[in-house]
Amino acid sequence: MKLSYSWLCDHVDLAGLTPEEVADQLTMGAFEVEEIARTGPDLTGPVIVGQIMEITTHPNADKIRLTKVKVDENKEPLEIVCGAQNIEVGQRIPVALPGAIVLNRKTGEKLPIIASAIRGVHSNGMLCSSSELGIANGETDGILILSKPGENGIALGTDVIEKLALKPEFVFHVAPRSNRGDALSVIGLAREVAAILNRPMKVADWKLSGGEAEKVFENRTDGGFSTSIESLDDCAYFSIRLIDGVKIGPSPSWLQARLESVGMRTVNNVVDITNYVMLEYGQPLHAYDGEKVDGETIAVRRAKKGENLTSLDGKVRELSEEILAITDKENVIGLAGIMGGKDSEISDETTRIALEAAAFTAQRVRRGGRLVGLSSDSSLRFERGVDAANVKRASDRATYLIQKYCGPDVKVKEFVYSGSDQVKVRTVSMRLSQVKRLLNVDIDKATALKYLSSLGFEKDGDNGADTVIVRVPSFRQQDVYREIDLIEEVCRLFGYNNLPEEMPSASITPTRPAKLISDIRSSLFAQGLSEAWLSSLVGTTEGDESKSIKVLNPLSKDHRVLRNSLIPGLVDAVKYNQDRGSKDVWMFETGRAYEKAREKDKDQWGTGVCEKSLVAGVISGSLVSQINKSERVKDKIVGQASLEERVDFYRIKGIVENLLGSAGIAIGRLRVYRPKAASAFMHPYRVANVAVAPADKFPHDVEGKHEERVVTIGYIGELNPGYLNRKDIKEPVFGFELDVDKLKELGSAKTSFVEPAATPAVTRDLTVDLDTTIDHAAVKTVLEAAAGARLIDTELVSIYPLEEGKQSLSYRLTFQDREKTLTSDEIDQILKKVREALVSRLKAQFRA
Amino acid sequence: MTLEQQLKDLAEEATRSIVDNDNLDTLEELRLKYVGRSGAITTILRGLSQLTGEERKQVGQLANEVKEAIQQAHDARKRALDDKALEARLLHEKIDVTLAGTRIELGHIHPLTQIWEEITSIFYGMGFSVAEGPEVETDYYNFDALNTPKDHPARDEQDTFYTNVRPDVLLRSQTSTVQVRVMEKTKPPLKVISPGRVYRNEEINARKYPLFHQVEGLLVDRDVTFGQLKGTLNAFIRLLFGKPLKTRFRPDFFPFTEPSAELDSQCPFCEGIGCRTCGGRGWLELLGCGMIDPNVLSGAGIDPEEWSGFAFGMGLERLAMLKFGINDIRHFYNNDLRFLKQF
């Protein structure tokens, strides 16, 4: 909230302190002052009242005049040059003497006054206009006339700055706290300031008295309005003060200035006064036009379904039983604590006022505000809890001001209330040993009580040397219940920054950071992929819609659902970057994907949601390599210029192979197979599922059979060109997505090694003709199973197309036996078995 | 002419022609001519048979010396010519070494990852471990267990996304949720940080994005004090910014800590003088912290009379923006390569 410094000074004595010092202390002791805004002129005297005794024309300039101005009854008048045309002999005007600092009337900048010569004539000061004194903005017509000739004006020599209160105003922007409704007021903050700075609060200088002002009735009266409350759970205390003979008009300028300084719009005297008191006391008030209230009773009750109200802002509000209403005989006339009704609004013709002051329940106002979609300065305060014990005082304060500022005929009538403004006394005790335990400072009982009493807590009984017992003041009922709440108060008045600093004791066994994710990142980064962080809230997802997690109150149509894959976001990032001139986009992300957990074991957190940790990458364009493309270099360094290469399926597959390696999964364990059904955004014939075989056995172990328990961890492939086309992406994009948790389970750090074999390895080439429908992996599997453990490496060296539907694959096979040197015959025997297996299982053909 | 004289003449002639030779091929011809199997020396030595034993011995010795000398002259010349030829080849192979190296361009690690890893490594160094929790949470862990019951005004301050999973399931608005999950699962002493993604329903602008990241920290032990919170966080800030900076702890309110504080550090850019980054204030608001509220401890089954603790939470984006001088949070999520390439 905004806090005016001069207003604060009305309530606490801050003599000798600067606003900056007070703001610092408030920040460090209670509430952060986010900003100090300064308004009003910053003038330096002497600027005093003078009277014009004589006016003559300037000898060298038509428009400039010479004046003689008397500023002291006992001294000779001063000669002052003046350019303004509105001056007359006998006027009293403000005079800035040499040494004063006023404002430049055009720019508002500081203007120091010095004795000088203007076009050859000596001038001993300056006659000031209202803009030069900061009273008006921008250029104004002529000198500020304080009194006309012949009038009995302000005494000569009077300090104008003091007299016209031309002082700068400082407005603190204080960060509000949801638990401290009591501090949403000038007085509430004054209490804090007084406690922190150890300064006295000022005693109020007003008293409501006279006529019927002191008449107080419960529930009903003979003449004016009666009051009633349907349920004390919704409203503890409700009051109406009747005031007659009010004259609506503008409020006094000092009041307008104060409201405006804290950003409150001014309306008329009555409304301004209710706002003023709300800001000062933290108690929202509402004034009804008494003539427009139907019947004799103003009641607080739940609204009925079907009722509605046109609120002050002119909007029709549909009401329901959840909303607390203020009603007259038939109709709702206000939304309790939120906003009044248009029909009973104060108008220029209003003369009779029913002034409402009440303690509505925080939750009720909060819920009502939610339901009608309204929040106001009033509801903000009620939602944080108002002090019932403060209601009547605030009402009286407003009544006092209305009596004073709303015309000569104001007749204050009786005060009628329902409910009770008595706040139940709560006592809380605090052990000094707990203060010591949590804050590690020794605070004695007297000090603790001094801190607490400065905040309005009162000592209540005694219970041994270690314990302090206090009564919680009515205005702190909302946030102080427990020992820890008192410890916090002591802590902040002692000063957080005065508490001793130490390091925690080392009683906890340290752990090591998990490496997998950062290893994955390092691998992809080293292979040229840049890391993206994508929004997990997206517009739509592909796949099983019944599993998708939708946001019920989305921010926009692009943030409606939680993603179930990282790939679409990455593809969007490709588009984003291609649109901005990056042709080669290689990106990855590690992050979560979400879906409803149908099976119990997938519901890891008991939230009904499975959150998978994934890593995904996409590549598009060319191999991003730094190569020298100049012809000169190409001539001399063979192969240099041939590195530029469009990305394809095998490039992304290679990236995944390296990624698995960095996750502790040897390339020999990688299996890929065609999925039965791929994601809609993948190319159906250029996609493969990625699976990992167990680490502890080689595929050759199962002679002639291919039965492995592989774990599928994700997929790789080309993005569906149709999908890319819909996103207006022209270039092919390739991608992969893997489950990080599965990588974690499958990967293992090498723990032992095998001595390199002493026997020689022998290579043989084998060329086999096959149908093109047969994948390399199938050939390799059959081949390796048939060859057995002596075949240690199978490398495909060429693929040669034959007639339609046929191709020729050439393999380089490496054989080795760890125990002995293999003979040519032994290898021929193995190759024979291999050929037979390929023929029988894959219908292979061999050429002579 | 005696054989000796012939040998001496031969030595002189051979040496001269070898030294004068500039070509490796003709050098080899010379070698063969003088010291080859059918070379001049061999021819001369054929005449040895006509000599007496003593003479033969002398001439034979001389012949060997001459042969050795010629061979050495040849070897020296060959080395010189080899060196020269190599030199010529190397000169021919001269390249422009200032051209760029051939490499696969490295990718770039996102600045949020960098700050995430930096923060976690600092806390690992102080003995904290890392725990993660779900982003889709129940309102119990997001609010109730954190001392924020229904109708508490603090719930308003965090505009929460609710989901179609269950009425009580929402997108967590703070990583403090992990505090309670950790305390429920593990008995104290506890020393844990939890980095993660959180969500708030706020309009996107330069400072706000509907999702962002926090790092939550938690320490529960016997006799944990506010001073230990100060010590831990001051050490963290010193390590994060790489220099000792003044800090101050300001009272604030969080439902799940009491006393609660906001930690300001002296602006690392202007060292407190006031600059654009700190808005001229000299101080930067870095994180929220406090002593864990006894309600939160007992709600998680920990006796607040036996144990106490502190907790803190900081925004990853905010720290990254400060550290790298980034002015708009949206940069983090646009994934513009022109942005990422700077990290």
Side-chain angles (χ1 to χ4, degrees):
Chain A
M1 74 168 265
K2 291 182 177 177
L3 173 68
S4 141
Y5 189 70
S6 68
W7 204 344
L8 180 68
C9 290
D10 284 357
H11 295 281
V12 57
D13 186 352
L14 297 173
L17 293 167
T18 66
E20 287 79 9
E21 286 166 348
V22 173
D24 271 353
Q25 294 288 327
L26 187 56
T27 294
M28 296 315 296
F31 298 92
E32 187 190 8
V33 178
E34 292 169 328
E35 192 190 332
I36 305 175
R38 193 200 162 103
T39 59
D42 184 11
L43 307 175
T44 308
V47 181
I48 56 177
V49 176
Q51 185 162 28
I52 301 171
M53 307 307 287
E54 191 184 312
I55 301 176
T56 53
T57 51
H58 191 287
N60 305 326
D62 293 346
K63 291 201 168 167
I64 298 178
R65 301 203 273 176
L66 303 182
T67 65
K68 285 193 175 164
V69 179
K70 199 176 183 91
V71 294
D72 187 327
E73 296 290 357
N74 305 317
K75 286 186 185 160
E76 282 302 301
L78 302 171
E79 289 194 334
I80 296 175
V81 175
C82 179
Q85 302 303 309
N86 68 331
I87 49 173
E88 292 170 32
V89 171
Q91 287 171 337
R92 292 199 174 184
I93 36 73
V95 184
L97 299 180
I101 301 171
V102 296
L103 305 176
N104 181 309
R105 67 176 185 272
K106 286 176 183 156
T107 63
E109 285 164 8
K110 289 193 174 187
L111 178 67
I113 304 299
I114 41 170
S116 62
I118 297 173
R119 301 218 182 171
V121 177
H122 202 69
S123 181
N124 294 300
M126 188 174 93
L127 310 188
C128 299
S129 68
S130 54
S131 51
E132 281 155 347
L133 295 179
I135 300 168
N137 287 328
E139 212 166 344
T140 45
D141 287 337
I143 301 303
L144 176 66
I145 310 301
L146 296 172
S147 61
K148 292 176 187 160
E151 272 183 6
N152 214 359
I154 310 163
L156 296 186
T158 304
D159 185 339
V160 172
I161 295 174
E162 190 71 31
K163 185 74 190 170
L164 300 184
L166 300 177
K167 293 210 178 118
E169 175 66 289
F170 296 87
V171 175
F172 294 178
H173 291 222
V174 181
R177 288 228 216 112
S178 59
N179 66 330
R180 289 295 303 275
D182 68 293
L184 279 171
S185 65
V186 177
I187 289 180
L189 288 169
R191 271 194 302 255
E192 290 289 321
V193 168
I196 294 162
L197 293 164
N198 200 17
R199 291 283 178 125
M201 290 286 282
K202 288 180 180 170
V203 180
D205 58 353
W206 61 272
K207 190 173 183 310
L208 182 64
S209 59
E212 300 175 47
E214 287 166 54
K215 280 192 182 172
V216 175
F217 296 94
E218 185 169 357
N219 296 334
R220 53 186 64 257
T221 105
D222 304 329
F225 293 106
S226 301
T227 56
S228 77
I229 299 174
E230 184 182 61
S231 164
L232 291 174
D233 290 341
D234 290 341
C235 176
Y237 184 69
F238 182 77
S239 74
I240 293 288
R241 164 76 75 179
L242 191 60
I243 306 168
D244 268 333
V246 169
K247 172 94 184 78
I248 302 297
S251 46
S253 54
W254 65 266
L255 199 155
Q256 291 193 20
R258 273 218 169 144
L259 290 180
E260 278 162 8
S261 75
V262 297
M264 178 76 72
R265 200 169 57 94
T266 56
V267 182
N268 58 46
N269 46 10
V270 170
V271 173
D272 289 355
I273 285 167
T274 58
N275 283 334
Y276 183 84
V277 173
M278 173 182 73
L279 294 174
E280 188 170 45
Y281 282 74
Q283 170 64 47
L285 304 170
H286 185 72
Y288 300 93
D289 184 331
E291 304 287 353
K292 309 251 176 81
V293 176
D294 192 10
E296 273 121 44
T297 300
I298 300 181
V300 185
R301 65 158 168 85
R302 295 290 185 94
K304 299 186 182 99
K305 203 164 172 59
E307 282 185 320
N308 58 48
L309 172 77
T310 306
S311 50
L312 278 177
D313 54 11
K315 289 191 182 137
V316 179
R317 310 282 174 177
E318 306 282 337
L319 308 182
S320 68
E321 287 92 343
E322 284 287 288
I323 297 167
L324 194 63
I326 310 300
T327 60
D328 62 8
K329 191 174 165 196
E330 296 279 337
N331 296 312
V332 175
I333 58 173
L335 302 171
I338 304 167
M339 197 174 270
K342 188 90 184 155
D343 290 345
S344 55
E345 187 184 11
I346 303 295
S347 70
D348 290 350
E349 286 73 43
T350 302
T351 57
R352 176 174 238 220
I353 287 170
L355 179 68
E356 168 200 293
F360 301 116
T361 307
Q363 282 81 348
R364 187 49 51 205
V365 174
R366 183 169 185 266
R367 202 157 298 166
R370 280 290 150 95
L371 286 170
V372 295
L374 247 179
S375 136
S376 61
D377 286 314
S378 165
S379 66
L380 177 78
R381 285 169 174 79
F382 279 116
E383 284 176 25
R384 279 156 179 72
V386 299
D387 176 10
N390 188 40
V391 174
K392 179 156 191 307
R393 179 133 182 94
S395 175
D396 284 355
R397 170 71 167 155
T399 307
Y400 169 82
L401 292 171
I402 288 169
Q403 193 176 38
K404 197 167 173 184
Y405 293 108
C406 299
D409 307 321
V410 174
K411 288 189 183 59
V412 175
K413 306 280 222 177
E414 73 275 11
F415 179 89
V416 193
Y417 72 92
S418 296
S420 165
D421 63 353
Q422 297 300 303
V423 174
K424 210 173 130 205
V425 175
R426 182 190 303 144
T427 61
V428 179
S429 62
M430 175 180 78
R431 290 163 291 168
L432 297 171
S433 55
Q434 277 301 97
V435 176
K436 172 72 179 168
R437 176 178 168 237
L438 294 175
L439 308 182
N440 196 21
V441 286
D442 296 295
I443 287 178
D444 61 27
K445 204 163 174 173
T447 311
L449 278 169
K450 190 190 83 187
Y451 286 148
L452 292 171
S453 64
S454 74
L455 290 165
F457 295 82
E458 290 170 48
K459 186 177 174 219
D460 188 293
D462 215 320
N463 192 14
D466 186 44
T467 308
V468 172
I469 307 173
V470 290
R471 281 195 297 275
V472 178
S474 61
F475 49 85
R476 294 297 299 275
Q477 297 287 313
Q478 304 290 336
D479 77 307
V480 180
Y481 297 85
R482 305 168 300 162
E483 177 179 52
I484 192 71
D485 302 325
L486 293 181
I487 293 175
E488 178 178 46
E489 298 302 299
V490 168
C491 181
R492 68 190 178 94
L493 288 187
F494 181 82
Y496 283 17
N497 297 299
N498 298 325
L499 294 172
E501 182 178 330
E502 52 197 325
M503 285 305 278
S505 59
S507 67
I508 292 155
T509 315
T511 55
R512 285 198 319 183
K515 264 172 82 257
L516 180 64
I517 292 274
S518 72
D519 286 348
I520 288 172
R521 285 201 189 101
S522 304
S523 167
L524 293 172
F525 155 78
Q527 296 188 73
L529 282 78
S530 288
E531 191 190 14
W533 279 44
L534 299 161
S535 172
S536 37
L537 282 172
V538 296
T540 52
T541 53
E542 300 285 342
D544 186 354
E545 181 149 344
S546 69
K547 282 177 138 184
S548 68
I549 295 158
K550 296 195 177 96
V551 174
L552 299 177
N553 53 332
L555 176 66
S556 78
K557 66 177 174 53
D558 296 328
H559 303 88
R560 280 191 299 214
V561 56
L562 282 172
R563 65 182 175 188
N564 57 7
S565 165
L566 312 187
I567 294 276
L570 285 167
V571 171
D572 290 341
V574 169
K575 167 79 177 149
Y576 182 95
N577 281 294
Q578 285 181 345
D579 287 350
R580 281 157 185 79
S582 300
K583 275 183 287 190
D584 307 320
V585 185
W586 293 39
M587 297 188 108
F588 76 98
E589 189 192 20
T590 64
R592 293 189 191 182
Y594 318 75
E595 60 179 30
K596 285 188 191 160
R598 294 262 168 76
E599 300 86 4
K600 198 98 195 111
D601 62 323
K602 284 192 173 174
D603 188 5
Q604 190 195 349
W605 304 104
T607 54
V609 174
C610 172
E611 299 187 25
K612 270 193 291 189
S613 180
L614 302 177
V615 55
V618 292
I619 56 174
S620 181
S622 296
L623 176 69
V624 186
S625 59
Q626 177 65 59
I627 51 172
N628 292 309
K629 299 177 183 74
S630 90
E631 288 304 307
R632 210 168 64 80
V633 172
K634 198 164 121 188
D635 285 345
K636 291 190 181 176
I637 299 174
V638 179
Q640 262 279 42
S642 63
L643 279 175
E644 177 143 10
E645 180 191 305
R646 305 300 286 170
V647 297
D648 60 13
F649 176 89
Y650 302 105
R651 174 63 59 185
I652 196 84
K653 190 179 176 192
I655 289 170
V656 168
E657 287 165 352
N658 277 346
L659 168 61
L660 294 183
S662 69
I665 296 170
I667 192 162
R669 295 172 63 196
L670 170 67
R671 306 284 180 269
V672 297
Y673 62 93
R674 294 181 192 278
K676 288 199 184 77
S679 281
F681 48 72
M682 299 305 288
H683 187 310
Y685 302 104
R686 290 186 175 178
V687 64
N689 277 0
V690 177
V692 174
D696 51 4
K697 76 185 173 68
F698 289 101
H700 330 296
D701 289 358
V702 189
E703 189 87 8
K705 286 185 203 155
H706 179 52
E707 281 178 19
E708 287 182 309
R709 291 173 57 85
V710 300
V711 180
T712 302
I713 59 168
Y715 58 91
I716 41 178
E718 182 171 341
L719 272 290
N720 192 320
Y723 175 77
L724 296 180
N725 198 34
R726 281 197 297 282
K727 288 186 183 270
D728 198 25
I729 297 173
K730 306 279 183 282
E731 288 284 313
V733 178
F734 303 85
F736 71 87
E737 186 162 59
L738 306 176
D739 185 321
V740 173
D741 292 327
K742 285 183 179 158
L743 283 175
K744 198 180 288 172
E745 286 161 25
L746 294 164
S748 59
K750 204 102 179 115
T751 52
S752 63
F753 95 116
V754 177
E755 189 70 40
T759 52
V762 182
T763 60
R764 290 288 186 88
D765 287 353
L766 178 72
T767 297
V768 50
D769 296 352
L770 288 159
D771 282 355
T772 51
T773 54
I774 294 167
D775 288 343
H776 158 67
V779 182
K780 189 165 182 264
T781 305
V782 169
L783 198 154
E784 289 179 342
R790 282 165 166 174
L791 175 63
I792 61 163
D793 189 44
T794 311
E795 187 192 356
L796 178 64
V797 289
S798 79
I799 302 175
Y800 188 78
L802 302 172
E803 71 272 26
E804 188 62 26
K806 293 271 182 191
Q807 61 185 2
S808 179
L809 305 180
S810 291
Y811 287 91
R812 179 152 301 152
L813 307 176
T814 306
F815 298 93
Q816 191 175 44
D817 188 314
R818 298 184 63 82
E819 305 303 323
K820 62 186 180 77
T821 302
L822 288 172
T823 64
S824 192
D825 276 354
E826 284 169 321
I827 293 168
D828 287 343
Q829 283 303 311
I830 298 170
L831 283 174
K832 185 163 173 274
K833 269 163 96 183
V834 167
R835 285 198 191 87
E836 285 164 6
L838 290 171
V839 169
S840 69
R841 305 213 22 189
L842 303 176
K843 298 193 169 53
Q845 290 176 315
F846 293 94
R847 279 171 290 169
Chain B
M1 221 183 334
T2 64
L3 279 176
E4 280 144 312
Q5 192 56 45
Q6 282 181 38
L7 280 169
K8 279 177 185 160
D9 290 351
L10 188 69
E12 196 181 327
E13 178 202 324
T15 311
R16 196 185 315 114
S17 52
I18 283 170
V19 169
D20 289 347
N21 189 286
D22 271 340
N23 182 307
L24 275 169
D25 295 339
T26 48
L27 183 66
E28 179 60 10
E29 282 167 21
L30 286 173
R31 188 186 68 80
L32 293 172
K33 180 177 167 193
Y34 296 113
V35 295
R37 193 167 293 182
S38 48
I41 299 266
T42 312
T43 312
I44 289 170
L45 287 181
R46 275 197 201 112
L48 276 182
S49 55
Q50 295 162 12
L51 297 180
T52 61
E54 190 55 27
E55 277 175 336
R56 191 187 294 166
K57 198 177 166 191
Q58 277 178 11
V59 173
Q61 195 178 342
L62 179 67
N64 277 335
E65 282 168 16
V66 167
K67 189 179 178 184
E68 184 65 23
I70 293 171
Q71 185 65 45
Q72 273 179 20
H74 165 269
D75 290 353
R77 187 64 190 150
K78 182 167 190 308
R79 263 198 308 277
L81 287 179
D82 278 347
D83 286 353
K84 213 172 144 193
L86 182 64
E87 178 58 32
R89 201 188 99 207
L90 294 187
L91 180 66
H92 183 70
E93 288 172 3
K94 182 179 166 191
I95 57 167
D96 181 351
V97 295
T98 64
L99 293 176
T102 298
R103 63 187 167 90
I104 288 192
E105 223 171 76
L106 287 181
H108 301 270
I109 296 294
H110 198 284
L112 288 177
T113 298
Q114 295 185 23
I115 200 105
W116 174 307
E117 297 211 322
E118 197 165 340
I119 290 170
T120 50
S121 75
I122 290 171
F123 282 109
Y124 267 117
M126 292 198 278
F128 285 77
S129 54
V130 170
E132 288 194 40
E135 291 170 20
V136 187
E137 252 303 358
T138 61
D139 60 4
Y140 174 77
Y141 287 107
N142 201 64
F143 291 121
D144 300 65
L146 293 170
N147 209 22
T148 318
K150 278 207 172 52
D151 281 325
H152 193 289
R155 283 203 180 191
D156 286 356
E157 288 170 10
Q158 300 178 358
D159 285 310
T160 311
F161 288 117
Y162 288 85
T163 70
N164 65 343
V165 181
R166 292 200 307 250
D168 68 320
V169 172
L170 43 77
L171 307 188
R172 69 175 173 190
S173 58
Q174 47 194 353
T175 45
S176 310
T177 51
V178 187
Q179 273 189 29
V180 183
R181 284 188 175 271
V182 167
M183 287 193 287
E184 281 180 349
K185 227 172 75 182
T186 322
K187 289 274 152 272
L190 285 167
K191 209 171 177 184
V192 170
I193 60 162
S194 181
R197 180 168 289 195
V198 300
Y199 299 82
R200 291 192 195 167
N201 195 346
E202 296 176 320
E203 284 299 326
I204 297 175
N205 61 36
R207 305 245 136 226
K208 287 180 174 168
Y209 203 75
L211 52 100
F212 57 99
H213 299 81
Q214 292 182 330
V215 181
E216 187 77 10
L218 173 75
L219 189 152
V220 182
D221 204 342
R222 285 172 218 282
D223 305 320
V224 174
T225 65
F226 198 105
Q228 292 174 5
L229 168 64
K230 288 173 66 173
T232 302
L233 291 177
N234 281 339
F236 164 71
I237 285 166
R238 193 160 55 243
L239 292 168
L240 183 69
F241 290 104
K243 53 184 168 185
L245 291 168
K246 269 194 214 135
T247 60
R248 62 179 197 188
F249 290 76
R250 269 190 293 111
D252 204 336
F253 170 74
F254 309 108
F256 39 92
T257 51
E258 187 153 12
S260 303
E262 192 74 37
L263 170 57
D264 294 342
S265 110
Q266 196 184 36
C267 175
F269 302 98
C270 63
E271 308 211 329
I273 297 161
C275 64
R276 215 167 56 97
T277 306
C278 60
R281 292 202 274 181
W283 293 98
L284 289 174
E285 206 173 295
L286 286 189
L287 56 90
C289 57
M291 303 298 290
I292 301 172
D293 193 289
N295 283 358
V296 176
L297 289 173
S298 51
I302 294 173
D303 180 2
E305 291 289 317
E306 188 184 351
W307 304 94
S308 57
F310 63 70
F312 53 86
M314 62 193 94
L316 216 56
E317 279 80 356
R318 174 165 174 75
L319 290 177
M321 286 168 87
L322 283 176
K323 203 170 156 91
F324 299 119
I326 295 164
N327 56 5
D328 192 324
I329 195 171
R330 288 168 290 201
H331 281 307
F332 293 124
Y333 299 100
N334 282 344
N335 297 303
D336 191 324
L337 285 167
R338 296 166 301 176
F339 170 78
L340 294 175
K341 279 179 178 170
Q342 297 177 41
F343 296 94

